[in-house]
Amino acid sequence: QVQLVESGGGLVQAGGSLTLSCAASGYTFGDYAMSWFRQAPGKQRDVVARIKNTGEAKHHVNAVKGRFTISRDNDKNTLYLQMTSLKPEDTAVYYCCRLVNLFTAPDYCGQGTQVTVSL
């Protein structure tokens, strides 16, 4: 079955960097677009970035544009999110999610990894 396992979260000071990884299994990774979502306490889950199955097209929401970069390695079945210049408002649980197409809703998400940014 489809499995998405996130890693790389943690506690970091404002201005710092983290790189999240998502190991995918149970399907042909290169056939699907992928995305990162995040959910802060008391808020809904929102998309952060999306990437086409080939990696050629990417979309980052305005709140993270210029600071976060989504990427993928189809040979390693792994999705990444490089996060720099982190702000306290980036604190959230980050989820790796599979998409059927680049701008469709996710059909599978992992369990999430906590990112906490302190002042």
Side-chain angles (χ1 to χ4, degrees):
Q1 72 273 24
V2 175
Q3 282 197 312
L4 300 168
V5 180
E6 302 94 339
S7 62
L11 174 63
V12 63
Q13 285 190 323
S17 301
L18 279 176
T19 296
L20 306 183
S21 299
C22 171
S25 62
Y27 71 102
T28 303
F29 184 67
D31 284 351
Y32 289 83
M34 295 294 295
S35 61
W36 287 98
F37 280 70
R38 67 184 179 185
Q39 187 168 19
K43 296 189 177 181
Q44 67 179 22
R45 189 178 298 189
D46 290 325
V47 67
V48 173
R50 304 169 185 263
I51 186 167
K52 194 177 176 181
N53 63 322
T54 59
E56 292 173 349
K58 305 177 183 182
H59 175 262
H60 300 80
V61 298
N62 287 339
V64 306
K65 201 169 289 184
R67 300 189 298 122
F68 291 11
T69 303
I70 189 171
S71 63
R72 65 190 295 161
D73 186 334
N74 286 352
D75 290 333
K76 294 182 178 179
N77 293 344
T78 303
L79 178 73
Y80 303 98
L81 185 68
Q82 292 176 282
M83 306 185 294
T84 64
S85 301
L86 282 160
K87 304 175 182 180
E89 51 263 45
D90 295 319
T91 295
V93 178
Y94 283 72
Y95 298 89
C96 163
C97 297
R98 191 180 80 166
L99 307 173
V100 175
N101 292 299
L102 191 58
F103 288 102
T104 57
D107 59 354
Y108 287 95
C109 292
Q111 293 299 305
T113 186
Q114 176 70 48
V115 172
T116 303
V117 184
S118 64
L119 287 169

